[in-house]
């Protein structure tokens, strides 16, 4: 028996070697996948849910000045969730949350550090790949609460000495077996059973807290690994990670199962046996409470780092992209701006120095133009780049009213919902700073007379506020009358061989073409309908009124 028990320490050593070798081979495979993905499709373990990303907005960087927030209506109108997905090459939830915050919580200051990081990683692809591997191993975890724990670490927790004693007892028993086999084995069995039962009970009562702290532990361990690399923020990382160096021991065993390593089941058993989640919980909460500033600094540094890599990867797929210039006054000036979600976008220049009302035919490009300018204004301020050759603008809040609909649950009609969306813009003017407003079709949910009257009331009032508005409209009268307080632009089309042809180019002045009836003809509506429509339109343009009685039947 004594000869057999002597093999136990060797067996433990062998297990350690197997675990290390498995992790080493897994890291090599991961590195190959990430290297291949840099020139191809993004490589993710899983995607962060929007609910989890929205939760992260509650805990922005401590001390960070939030000058403007992109509200839900604007986010929805501009399909910024799809833009986020297109930009998002992050490997960790920490990076995805940082990217999401930058798109929604705007700071009115240049993104110099982000640009410097992008340039560094472009010049050092080997270091960039090492950083990506570390973030990938940190991984994704929805509602991970890391930012919440750092923002509110709570009270000081006792019990660490007890947990450490219980964790060390099985190890002491193993090494005591050669000297006192019966007693050591008996105590080993008792300690193992006790730890399993105790850990299970503690996990059951503190499951949420234990689950949350695991991701923060892995963040600190990732920060320590990153501090060993020759990165621009290496010294800052080293200083901030000092209070959390011991967390590296806990990180690998607290990692959530990913299916990429054969040893994960072994690590799960080690967690239970050595009370590692309980030890981590007490240690991390106490350390964060004592070193909250350093913990927040690590979240900020790591988040910024992965955002830079994500943007660098995204820009590799773009032919035209620019760094914006921020001015003190004026409006938005841009060259060849385009919409990022279109597969073959048509670029347009932007001269948004004065208020604008844009008219034009159906589907000619009015709404897309508004969205193009609004999206680029947000990304320029949040991420420091724009889709186009040039962009210059002052910092400012961006609000839209475009994709509104009736709210059945609340009982609001389309017009009420639309009116509320515009009212929120009016109320937002109470906040300091310049404003950019983008409205697609003013009050299209009501009758013509009141739509034009109310629309003109809005543009006249907004014309003297601290804002610029860009409004699209089909109403010829509204466009003509609003010319006293804003510039008019338009999009047009041509009707060629039964088909409507667009060039999607914005032009100065009011629209001179109409394509609604031509659209009906291209869809093969009965000729009697389209001809009647043409006759009625000619009649209205001559007399200023509508009458079916004066239309002769063929």
């Amino acid at each position: 028996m004594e000869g057999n028990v002597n093999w136990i320490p060797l067996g433990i050593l062998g297990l350690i070697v197997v675990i290390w070798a498995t992790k080493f081979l897994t890291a090599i495979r991961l590195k190959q996948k990430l290297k291949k993905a840099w020139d191809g499709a993004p490589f993710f373990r899983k995607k962060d849910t929007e609910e989890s990303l929205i939760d992260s907005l509650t805990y922005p960087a401590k001390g960070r000045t939030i000058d403007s927030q992109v509200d839900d209506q604007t986010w929805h109108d501009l399909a910024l969730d799809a833009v986020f997905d297109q930009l998002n090459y992050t490997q960790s939830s920490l990076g995805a949350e940082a990217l999401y915050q930058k798109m929604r919580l705007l700071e009115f200051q240049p993104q110099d550090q982000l640009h410097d990081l992008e340039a560094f990683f472009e010049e050092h692809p080997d270091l960039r790949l090492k950083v990506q591997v570390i973030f990938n191993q940190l991984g994704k975890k929805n509602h991970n609460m890391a930012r919440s724990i750092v923002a509110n670490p709570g009270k000081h927790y006792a019990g660490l000495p007890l947990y450490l004693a219980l964790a060390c007892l099985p190890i002491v028993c193993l090494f005591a077996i050669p000297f006192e086999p019966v007693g050591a084995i008996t105590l080993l069995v008792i300690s193992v059973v006790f730890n399993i039962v105790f850990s299970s009970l503690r996990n059951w009562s503190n499951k949420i807290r234990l689950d949350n702290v695991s991701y923060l532990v892995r963040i600190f361990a990732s920060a320590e690994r990153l501090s060993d690399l020759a990165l621009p923020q290496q010294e800052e990382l080293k200083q901030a990670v000092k209070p959390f160096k011991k967390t590296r021991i806990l990180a690998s065993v607290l990692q959530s199962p990913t299916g990429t390593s054969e040893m994960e089941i072994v690590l799960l058993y080690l967690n239970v046996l050595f009370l590692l989640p309980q030890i981590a919980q007490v240690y991390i909460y106490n350390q964060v409470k004592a070193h909250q500033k350093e913990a927040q600094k690590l979240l900020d540094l790591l988040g910024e780092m992965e955002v830079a890599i994500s943007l660098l990867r995204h820009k590799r797929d773009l032919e035209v992209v620019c760094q914006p210039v921020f001015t003190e006054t004026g409006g938005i000036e841009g060259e060849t701006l385009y919409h990022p979600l279109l597969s073959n976008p048509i670029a347009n220049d932007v001269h948004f120095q004065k208020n604008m009302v844009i008219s034009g035919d159906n589907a000619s490009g009015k709404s897309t133009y508004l969205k193009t300018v609004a999206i680029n204004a947000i990304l320029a301020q949040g991420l420091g780049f724009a889709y186009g050759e040039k962009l210059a603008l002052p910092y400012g809040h961006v609000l839209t009213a475009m994709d509104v609909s009736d709210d059945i649950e609340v009982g609001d009609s389309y017009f009420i919902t639309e009116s509320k969306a515009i009212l929120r813009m009016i109320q937002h003017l109470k906040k300091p700073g310049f404003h950019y407003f983008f409205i697609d079709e003013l009050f299209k949910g009501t009758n013509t007379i009141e739509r034009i009257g109310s629309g003109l009331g809005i543009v006249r009032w907004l014309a003297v506020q601290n804002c610029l508005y860009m409004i699209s409209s089909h109403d010829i009268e509204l466009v003509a009358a609003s010319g006293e307080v804003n510039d008019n632009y338009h999009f047009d089309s041509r009707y060629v061989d039964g088909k409507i042809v667009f060039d999607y180019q914005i032009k100065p002045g009011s629209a001179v073409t109409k394509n609604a009836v031509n659209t009906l003809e291209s869809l093969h509506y009965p000729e009697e309908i389209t001809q009647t429509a043409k006759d009625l339109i000619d009649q209205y343009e001559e007399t200023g009124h509508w009458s079916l009685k004066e239309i002769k039947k063929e």
Side-chain angles (χ1 to χ4, degrees):
M1 180 176 178
E2 186 175 341
N4 291 333
V5 296
N6 286 334
W7 286 96
I8 293 177
L10 292 176
I12 294 173
L13 181 61
L15 180 61
I16 293 172
V17 171
V18 170
I19 292 174
W20 180 86
T22 303
K23 291 185 69 175
F24 179 75
L25 293 174
T26 301
I28 291 176
R29 291 197 296 266
L30 174 60
K31 200 170 184 179
Q32 291 171 342
K33 286 182 180 179
L34 289 169
K35 192 172 183 178
K36 186 178 180 181
W38 189 252
D39 295 311
F43 167 62
F44 295 109
R45 276 187 187 151
K46 65 178 182 179
K47 183 180 176 181
D48 299 272
T49 64
E50 185 158 14
E51 292 80 7
S52 176
L53 294 169
I54 291 172
D55 282 350
S56 73
L57 297 179
T58 311
Y59 304 101
K62 201 162 188 176
R64 177 184 170 193
T65 303
I66 307 302
D67 296 299
S68 181
Q69 180 166 349
V70 178
D71 67 9
D72 291 343
Q73 179 70 52
T74 302
W75 188 264
H76 171 72
D77 285 346
L78 302 177
L80 286 172
D81 54 338
V83 177
F84 171 82
D85 288 342
Q86 189 168 277
L87 289 166
N88 183 18
Y89 286 84
T90 61
Q91 298 298 315
S92 72
S93 290
L94 180 65
E97 291 167 2
L99 177 62
Y100 193 80
Q101 285 192 1
K102 279 187 167 293
M103 289 182 66
R104 296 204 67 168
L105 305 178
L106 307 182
E107 297 177 89
F108 293 165
Q109 60 184 29
Q111 299 292 326
D112 293 337
Q113 180 173 304
L114 193 59
H115 295 145
D116 291 344
L117 277 171
E118 286 184 56
F120 175 83
F121 285 123
E122 188 171 23
E123 294 172 4
H124 300 85
D126 292 340
L127 270 176
R128 184 260 306 157
L129 186 57
K130 289 179 181 179
V131 172
Q132 282 187 286
V133 169
I134 293 172
F135 278 119
N136 183 278
Q137 291 170 339
L138 171 58
K140 300 282 188 178
K141 185 171 183 176
N142 288 314
H143 306 286
N144 58 74
M145 300 299 290
R147 297 177 187 276
S148 173
I149 294 171
V150 171
N152 303 294
K155 63 180 182 179
H156 181 84
Y157 290 87
L160 185 59
L162 173 63
Y163 293 148
L164 288 172
L166 291 172
C168 291
L169 187 57
I171 298 174
V172 173
C173 291
L174 282 172
F175 284 97
I177 288 174
F179 308 102
E180 186 63 43
V182 177
I185 291 175
T186 302
L187 187 57
L188 173 64
V189 172
I190 293 172
S191 66
V192 167
V193 171
F194 181 84
N195 282 3
I196 290 174
V197 172
F198 183 77
S199 179
S200 300
L201 291 174
R202 297 294 295 178
N203 282 354
W204 181 263
S205 60
N206 293 325
K207 186 178 186 306
I208 295 176
R209 193 177 289 275
L210 288 169
D211 194 44
N212 290 342
V213 79
S214 67
Y215 196 74
L216 187 57
V217 168
R218 285 150 50 195
I219 288 174
F220 291 149
S222 299
E224 187 179 355
R225 293 172 64 191
L226 289 167
S227 70
D228 293 332
L229 303 178
L231 300 170
Q233 310 95 329
Q234 186 177 24
E235 286 305 314
E236 288 182 274
L237 280 169
K238 283 184 175 181
Q239 291 301 315
V241 83
K242 273 185 180 179
F244 310 103
K245 274 186 172 292
K246 295 178 183 178
T247 59
R248 191 166 188 172
I249 303 170
L250 304 169
S252 60
V253 292
L254 286 177
Q255 189 159 341
S256 298
T258 63
T260 61
S261 173
E262 295 80 359
M263 298 307 300
E264 285 178 349
I265 188 67
V266 176
L267 297 178
L268 289 174
Y269 280 115
L270 291 176
N271 272 2
V272 175
L273 181 60
F274 296 110
L275 306 178
L276 293 174
Q278 288 77 17
I279 293 171
Q281 175 193 336
V282 174
Y283 176 74
I284 290 299
Y285 274 90
N286 289 345
Q287 286 299 99
V288 169
K289 186 169 182 63
H291 303 280
Q292 191 175 13
K293 183 179 179 181
E294 290 86 347
Q296 184 62 61
K297 183 68 173 177
L298 288 177
L299 296 185
D300 297 343
L301 288 172
L302 268 63
E304 189 91 349
M305 201 180 299
E306 197 170 13
V307 169
I309 293 174
S310 186
L311 294 181
L312 179 62
R313 171 61 186 86
H314 174 65
K315 292 174 184 178
R316 285 171 61 84
D317 295 333
L318 305 176
E319 293 183 6
V320 181
V321 66
C322 69
Q323 185 173 325
V325 175
F326 291 99
T327 58
E328 294 295 327
T329 58
I332 299 177
E333 283 287 326
E335 291 184 16
T336 64
L337 295 188
Y338 61 94
H339 196 294
L341 297 180
L342 299 180
S343 55
N344 294 295
I346 303 298
N348 270 287
D349 292 344
V350 177
H351 304 291
F352 191 20
Q353 295 287 337
K354 296 181 179 179
N355 295 311
M356 293 173 60
V357 170
I358 303 173
S359 55
D361 302 336
N362 297 293
S364 59
K366 300 186 301 297
S367 300
T368 300
Y369 185 81
L370 266 66
K371 292 176 181 178
T372 297
V373 180
I375 289 172
N376 278 291
I378 289 172
L379 296 183
Q381 297 178 88
L383 297 174
F385 85 98
Y387 297 97
E389 291 184 357
K390 288 183 181 179
L391 181 65
L393 72 163
Y395 291 106
H397 307 277
V398 179
L399 287 94
T400 65
M402 297 181 183
D403 190 16
V404 298
S405 59
D406 54 358
D407 193 328
I408 297 175
E409 292 183 1
V410 178
D412 286 348
S413 67
Y414 183 95
F415 178 69
I416 293 295
T417 306
E418 183 183 26
S419 300
K420 287 181 176 179
I422 296 173
L423 178 62
R424 93 187 197 285
M425 293 178 164
I426 295 171
Q427 293 171 338
H428 205 279
L429 285 166
K430 296 176 183 177
K431 296 187 177 183
F434 196 70
H435 288 70
Y436 300 103
F437 293 148
F438 300 86
I439 304 173
D440 192 15
E441 296 292 342
L442 262 173
F443 299 128
K444 58 185 176 184
T446 190
N447 64 80
T448 303
I449 294 175
E450 290 185 297
R451 177 171 64 248
I452 295 171
S454 300
L456 289 173
I458 289 288
V459 298
R460 182 180 179 182
W461 188 83
L462 289 177
V464 295
Q465 306 302 318
N466 189 30
C467 69
L468 281 174
Y469 62 76
M470 184 183 291
I471 299 172
S472 70
S473 178
H474 283 100
D475 286 305
I476 297 172
E477 295 92 338
L478 187 149
V479 173
S482 70
E484 298 177 9
V485 292
N486 54 241
D487 289 344
N488 287 327
Y489 288 83
H490 73 278
F491 289 85
D492 57 22
S493 63
R494 293 177 296 119
Y495 193 55
V496 181
D497 298 329
K499 295 182 180 180
I500 302 173
V501 180
F502 303 100
D503 63 9
Y504 303 109
Q505 293 293 323
I506 193 166
K507 304 172 183 68
S510 302
V512 293
T513 62
K514 297 181 285 290
N515 73 355
V517 178
N518 290 337
T519 299
L520 300 183
E521 287 184 339
S522 69
L523 295 172
H524 307 295
Y525 266 58
E527 185 178 354
E528 183 179 352
I529 294 176
T530 56
Q531 187 57 52
T532 299
K534 289 178 181 179
D535 293 341
L536 284 166
I537 291 169
D538 290 340
Q539 175 199 96
Y540 176 80
E541 289 179 341
E542 290 178 8
T543 65
H545 69 271
W546 302 95
S547 176
L548 286 171
K549 294 180 180 179
E550 299 177 18
I551 300 298
K552 295 181 180 179
K553 291 186 178 181
E554 296 294 337

